[in-house]
Amino acid sequence: MQPNMYQAMRSLRVIEGYTSLNVYGPAGTGGGGGGGGGGSIGEKFFQHLDHLRTKSTRHVSSFQPNNRGIENESILADAMAIYGLPQSELIEPHIEPCLKFVDFVEALADNYVRLQECDKLEKSGLYLEQCTVFKGLDDPKLFRRGLRCARQHSVDVHSKVVLSAWLRFDRREDELIGISAMDCSGRNMECPRTCLISGYNPESVDDPCDCRRISSEDRPIDIDIGDEECSTSLSENVDEDYYDMSFCIGDEEIRCRRFDIASLSRPFKAMLYGGFMESRREKINFTQNEISAKAMKAAEEYSRTKKVDLFESDLVLELLVLANRFCCEEMKSACDAHLASLVIDMDIAMLLVEYGLQETAYLLVAACLQVFLRELPNSMHNPNVVRFFCSSEARKRLDSVGHASFLLYYFLSQFSMEDDMKSNTTVMLLERLGECASQTWEKKLAFHQLGCVMLERKEYKDAHKWFEAAVEAGHTYSLVGVARAKYKRGHTYKAYKMMNTLISDHTPTGWMYQERSLYCDGAEKMMDLMTTTELDPTLCYPYKCRAISMIEEQGPEAAVTEINRILGFKVSPDCLEIRAWILISMNDFKGALRDVQAIITLDPHYIMFHGKLQGDHLVDLLCNNVQQWNPADCWIKLHDRWSAVDDIGSLAVVHHMLANDPRKSLWLFRQSLLLLRLNCHKAAMRRLRMARNHASAEHERIVYEGWILYDTGHHQEAIAKAEESISIQRSFEAFFLKAYILSEGIPDPESSLYVIDLLEEALRCPSDGLRKGQALSNQASIYVDIDKLDHAVDKYLTALEIKHTRAHQGLARIYHLRDQRTAAYDEMTKLIEKARFSASAYEKRSEYSDREMAKDDLSMATQLDPLRTYPYRYRAAVLMDDHKEAEAIAELTNAIAFKPDLQLLHLRAAFHDSMGDNASTVRDCEAALCLDPNHTDTLDLYERAQARGKEQQPTE
């Protein structure tokens, strides 16, 4: 819910909670609650939920229409009377806490050019900026690639420590049971030891690191040299004639060689060989220097051996103090490195970090910092660690030792915003981020995010201040925040006028019209929302707003149809929630249950009804109004949903099976596959990690670890995991994982046959029809690639027998290759008839029809899923063939505005090139290469355009 909604709720009269359709109306609790006292409907509703949780009625195996079902339906009706249905006036679009650009293509191109032209030591910072640019895209792999490149080109220890920890956090390895924060993955890029080595070596980051081969004998050994006997033993092999002077500390005399001690630093050299009286004395009184005899003995030992690794850690700390006091840089570095090597967990880090800060020990602080960062999120729940980062004084202390940076606070603030956007910790970290910001883009980001956080905290005056600071730094998108802050402070017309000016001064974008729609009503609001969707069909708010307005004007069925438009290609908890509310009002409890189960799969902590009701508690209530399924029913339903390509429905069935089946890891893994198909990558990876943690067998756990490695770009390591799992026990998933990875970019028929054999081995292992259908389809696809069409047909037909509906697409491809276009078209029609969401099927069918029919199919594909890029490219190519160059460019430009895709940018660059627009060609190539620097076709086009540009430059 949005910032001032509680205020809006409290301002409503009690009677309005029952007479209006208002989900955000007054609840049955609190000062403004509907119904008032202890007997209110709201309290009965929540009391009944408590009763349900106690009784655990969600696990009933069959539905019996008794009084309990009638009572539950009545309570649901009472709940709807309390919450009603959502009102468009009380929902708001989210202001994204990242950099957004009026011309995103220009931002991509600029970043690419600067990366090509910069000094190698500046690359890491530019890649970090690229991460910030990518943050606004719905593609976590691009952001991760930017982080990897930034780490690859890091020079100093500080950057290596922060970026390596960030990469680890991005994978959420803290959620994997049995893995320590300081465990090494085996690669230099994230090895905690390697990170503490300074220097620029980008070619080595992907090499295997050596730390796992270091035996326990090679580790530092602590030796207590605190007594006289130990001191003697350290020097027993040195001839007494070797010494020519002594340091006297108290009653003890430490024999030394003058030349060795003088070599430690310039101050010692000046004292022992300069014009001071000590240079003429054989015995020097050192009692008043607060140096212990132990430390002086150790310093003498170091002066001869140049080693500190045989000393006890407490003694090394004393040596560090001595080295600082007398400017013994070499000895300080040795102590620093040794102490840093001892930091292996939070307890040691907390113990040593203060010493490191006091003595400005760069590596020691870096090692402690590394532990704090790799222990996220747990470390930031420790108040001592929070104090170490958050205050201005803490930042200055870190800065004094070289460890306060924009990079550090960028990482910490991103974590904190994700953990709790409204917390004081988040505010303080962002304030430190702003203090560390020096470049323009850094200031834009820090100020804009501070504005977003203050807006969430309902501190509108401060939000206005920070958004304006971001605008002054050049971030146009922050004007949305300025307008919203004005609106919250009661200046609606000023906000409307500001958005008007923004739209007139820049090329209009969807988010501009979306924001302006907040500040107007009626037909004007609907017009702005329609324009928003035309410019950017991926924004959820217009669909939600239109669906809500349709409830009263056109009925709930029309509202469901409208919200289905966005859910057909972009699944999000808030849109599912609105559909669930509407379905409850229609007494469609099955549909509502499906949506709520999908919501808590996407976000287990999601709270329904404006933060009043946990999603799983609503599942409890809804389960008592629908017929429950036994395990056999679940399998039938899952096959039906899978066959209908109904991924949301499949998620709901798997959620039910997960609640009843002890084989949790299997169903968690299935959920991850479904979530990936729905493009919900974050939720998918969370479920995959849970599957790994709940695996009951070793070979199963290893397979899931392999899938995690594959999804994070470590393909060879994933194959190794698959092979390790197979060596323990042959299983479908292990063979399938190995085959799936090897099938990407198969170079020759021999390798293809090997992959087919792997899939055959998978099919011989126990599994269900859903997974076997996928394996058969994959086999058939490879047979097609190596021109064994008859084998492919057999595999596709077998897959169809077990309801793998997508096999129709494979058969259509074979018919097309055999020049049977009508049969191919008919096969895709079968898929369209069976699939619930069939944008891809319409797109594919367009390849097997004439030009006009293809245009109709592609128009339908775009309507069902605007994110699919092929229809835009096809329509643009047709327009170019018809010599309608301007229209072709416009077709691509409209799509690039909300989906800056590599293929779209490359095609537009080629069109510009054919029209002789060299500058536009170069710009689009640079933007495309920012997304994929190794795209061969774009590189070739870019080189030709650059060469042509040089030829066209006037000569003097």
Side-chain angles (χ1 to χ4, degrees), residues 586-723:
M586 298 166 63
N587 291 333
D588 182 358
F589 302 129
K590 286 183 180 179
L593 177 61
R594 171 204 63 208
D595 286 348
V596 179
Q597 287 173 325
I599 287 170
I600 58 179
T601 302
L602 289 166
D603 183 357
H605 305 295
Y606 196 84
I607 304 179
M608 305 281 292
F609 294 138
H610 181 37
K612 294 296 184 183
L613 183 62
Q614 288 282 354
D616 55 351
H617 298 163
L618 184 56
V619 168
D620 290 335
L621 189 60
L622 289 167
C623 278
N624 288 275
N625 288 274
V626 299
Q627 182 174 350
Q628 299 298 291
W629 304 323
N630 58 37
D633 293 330
C634 287
W635 274 109
I636 293 171
K637 297 292 184 183
L638 183 57
H639 273 273
D640 289 343
R641 304 290 190 274
W642 194 280
S643 179
V645 198
D646 178 6
D647 293 330
I648 295 177
S650 298
L651 267 185
V653 177
V654 173
H655 179 275
H656 188 92
M657 298 171 89
L658 188 61
N660 293 280
D661 192 335
R663 296 178 63 192
K664 287 189 174 182
S665 61
L666 170 64
W667 298 121
L668 288 165
F669 176 61
R670 294 300 172 82
Q671 281 185 331
S672 74
L673 297 177
L674 287 164
L675 289 164
L676 282 174
R677 278 176 25 180
L678 289 167
N679 199 32
C680 301
H681 188 269
K682 183 178 177 181
M685 294 306 295
R686 181 174 62 244
R687 291 287 155 170
L688 188 51
R689 291 190 293 271
M690 291 174 66
R692 180 263 187 199
N693 290 340
H694 286 86
S696 57
E698 179 72 5
H699 74 277
E700 189 180 10
R701 178 184 63 79
I702 293 171
V703 167
Y704 297 148
E705 288 178 355
W707 278 112
I708 292 172
L709 286 166
Y710 168 76
D711 286 330
T712 52
H714 303 293
H715 293 187
Q716 292 304 315
E717 293 92 332
I719 291 174
K721 287 287 184 182
E723 292 171 344

Side-chain angles (χ1 to χ4, degrees), residues 669 702-704 706-707 710 715-727 730-746 751-752 754-762 771 778 782:
F669 176 61
I702 293 171
V703 167
Y704 297 148
W707 278 112
Y710 168 76
H715 293 187
Q716 292 304 315
E717 293 92 332
I719 291 174
K721 287 287 184 182
E723 292 171 344
E724 182 183 355
S725 179
I726 292 169
S727 69
R730 297 163 60 87
S731 69
F732 176 92
E733 293 300 344
F735 281 113
F736 186 89
L737 171 60
K738 185 175 180 181
Y740 189 85
I741 299 171
L742 291 175
S743 66
E744 294 186 348
I746 296 176
S751 300
S752 299
Y754 177 61
V755 172
I756 288 172
D757 289 340
L758 286 173
L759 290 170
E760 200 62 48
E761 291 295 331
R771 293 298 281 157
N778 288 7
I782 298 172

Side-chain angles (χ1 to χ4, degrees), residues 131-162:
C131 289
T132 309
V133 176
F134 288 158
K135 193 72 173 178
L137 297 176
D138 191 20
D139 188 348
K141 292 182 179 180
L142 282 174
F143 180 79
R144 188 179 301 121
R145 193 197 75 198
L147 277 183
R148 286 174 58 83
C149 290
R151 168 63 186 90
Q152 179 182 2
H153 293 279
S154 295
V155 179
D156 59 284
V157 168
H158 174 79
S159 298
K160 292 178 180 181
V161 163
V162 177

